[in-house]
Amino acid sequence: MTSSVALGLALSLASSLAFAQADAGAGDGRRWLAGDHHVHSRFSARYTPDPASPESPPLPQLGGDGNHTIVQNAEAAHRYGLSWMVSTDHGGPLHARLNAEQAWPELLQARERVPGLVLFYGMEFDTPGAEHSSLIIAPSAHEREDLLHIEGTWGRRQPWPEDPARDTEAFMLEALRDMAAMSPRPVMVTNHPSRSATGLGQYGEVRPHQLRDWSEVIPRVVIGMEGAPGHQADGLFADGRPDPAGSRGIYRRFPTMGGFDQMTARLAGVWDSLLGEGRRWWITATSDSHTHLSEGGDDFWPGEYAKTWVMARPDGEDILDGLREGRVFVTTGDLISELDVTVSADDRTATIGGELVVGEADDIVVTLRVRDPRAANAAGRTPSVDHIDLIVGDVTGGRADRDADANATTRVERRFTAADWTSEGEVLTMTHRLPASEAPRYLRVRGTSGVETEPMVDTPGEDPWSDLWFYGNPVFLTGSTGAR
């Protein structure tokens, strides 16, 4: 058999395996479900001193930092195609009681009003020694009490008077160890990690060593970070005209890149540095919705612009399992609605978030199946994928420098364009064969509607609908002696 025929058979088998796996996923009830884990309501209050009692805690002003009800958020999420959403209010002194006594009943009301939406209880946690994180409470009969305990015990801004001892990196690690012992265990995602960065590679309140520290608390609570932050409408006026004073994500110091945080967007940067150590560190995308663009705010509704897609059954437990295990891809502007990455060696396969043990002589075939929808997105546009990158990096183990933010081995292994894929309706299919090797590696996929080969720094007033990207979480290839 000639090598070209053998390769053709291998690619055909890989494609068949990809579709067989999609069928298997449907068989166990799992499918791609879109969601948003960072959504604010009127219970994200502003706090003002009580002039009649300046020694008393500041008074919460409902609607001060988010003017929608939880019901309105849930209805919008459902309207824009989301299957799940997390309500994540934040606050100030004694906010835990406000969350439990006022936000909780409204969340129950929203569950009744929008039964087709899996609605999680949570909060934007004021992260000790850092900035903010999405805290997702696992569904249970005591989820209200679980959040009351976490915010009351560990929230950085919860005490009155303020307690500086709560704002340390060590306190955050104590908090995570406490959460790791809870049953069921919550999930946490680091929000807008580079919003306070002052330049490329010049990090602010969140530094790479903290991501490493948080990922090492076992069992894991912090699973990753927002790849695409919310507030993507900040560069637009309410009528859609560009606002030259605005910036995507409200990244005022150093901008986003293609709408994504630099820790994700920079090839061979922070994310690849973490993956190159073998860390299972996943990315998501959110709205960070406070006030909608049409109302003079900086935000899109949940699901209107950004979506986090999870391969899961439509129940809270399996959605959280999908987040923990990295069965996730993210997209903006509904550029795609499915991303199936299948890596095969003989009859063994792995998909997004998974791991494949390979030998030094194994043929490794990567099959990508992407759905590029023909329906118009929320802006009334029908964007198309211009090109897709298969990115590969070596897994070399831990680094002595805990703030390391580079992986020199990461490269674009293959760039696919329309000449390289086959189209069947909305579905684009493409394949690539990796060189055989037992050396540990990971691979991930990204794609864009634009022609730029790398995400560019976003400019003030940029139209977010004209610069769309998607990213898939990685698949790890592990040698027989180097399994996870």
Side-chain angles (χ1 to χ4, degrees), residues 80 300 304-305 333-334 373-383 463 465 468:
Y80 286 108
F300 295 112
E304 183 179 2
Y305 181 73
D334 290 320
R374 292 175 176 170
N377 60 22
R381 306 182 193 181
T382 52
D463 175 18
W465 296 100
L468 306 179

Side-chain angles (χ1 to χ4, degrees), residues 180-257:
M182 297 175 68
S183 181
R185 189 169 83 254
V187 165
M188 189 178 288
V189 181
T190 306
N191 290 344
H192 38 71
S194 300
R195 192 169 67 180
S196 56
T198 57
L200 187 63
Q202 299 173 6
Y203 309 105
E205 295 180 64
V206 178
R207 300 184 60 82
H209 78 264
Q210 292 169 291
L211 307 183
R212 289 179 166 88
D213 290 347
W214 300 340
S215 74
E216 291 170 4
V217 175
I218 302 297
R220 275 208 306 162
V221 174
V222 184
I223 62 163
M225 62 190 178
E226 280 182 345
H231 300 311
Q232 293 274 346
D234 184 59
L236 301 175
F237 287 116
D239 60 4
R241 289 180 299 115
D243 178 1
S247 58
R248 296 173 72 174
I250 317 186
Y251 274 47
R252 304 290 195 218
R253 298 176 178 89
F254 184 81
T256 51
M257 304 166 72

Side-chain angles (χ1 to χ4, degrees), residues 117-159:
L117 182 75
V118 178
L119 181 56
F120 292 92
Y121 189 41
M123 72 169 296
E124 184 167 34
F125 186 63
D126 293 302
T127 312
E131 194 183 7
H132 294 148
S133 304
S134 289
L135 175 62
I136 310 172
I137 300 300
S140 76
H142 47 83
E143 57 188 356
R144 174 181 177 272
E145 289 71 25
D146 286 350
L147 183 55
L148 183 62
H149 164 73
I150 293 171
E151 185 175 11
T153 308
W154 304 108
R156 169 168 50 87
R157 298 173 62 203
Q158 170 68 14

Side-chain angles (χ1 to χ4, degrees), residues 335-346:
L335 178 58
I336 67 170
S337 57
E338 294 179 22
L339 174 61
D340 296 319
V341 179
T342 304
V343 187
S344 63
D346 295 329

Side-chain angles (χ1 to χ4, degrees), residues 100-121:
E101 294 179 352
Q102 298 188 51
W104 167 252
E106 190 164 290
L107 181 127
L108 296 182
Q109 181 186 7
R111 284 175 173 168
E112 292 181 358
R113 290 274 294 274
V114 192
L117 182 75
V118 178
L119 181 56
F120 292 92
Y121 189 41

Side-chain angles (χ1 to χ4, degrees), residues 7 343-345 358-366 390 392 394 411 413-414 432-441 443 477:
L7 176 58
V343 187
S344 63
V358 299
E360 60 182 8
D362 282 335
D363 283 330
I364 303 166
V365 179
V366 182
L390 173 64
V392 176
D394 297 344
R411 67 276 185 190
E413 173 77 14
R414 175 79 180 273
H432 178 73
R433 191 165 106 178
L434 289 174
S437 174
E438 198 175 21
R441 290 171 286 176
L443 58 90
L477 304 180

Side-chain angles (χ1 to χ4, degrees), residues 285-308:
T286 72
S287 65
D288 198 355
S289 178
H290 288 66
T291 302
H292 191 259
L293 170 67
S294 63
E295 302 166 9
D298 305 309
D299 309 317
F300 295 112
W301 287 109
E304 183 179 2
Y305 181 73
K307 288 181 170 70
T308 294

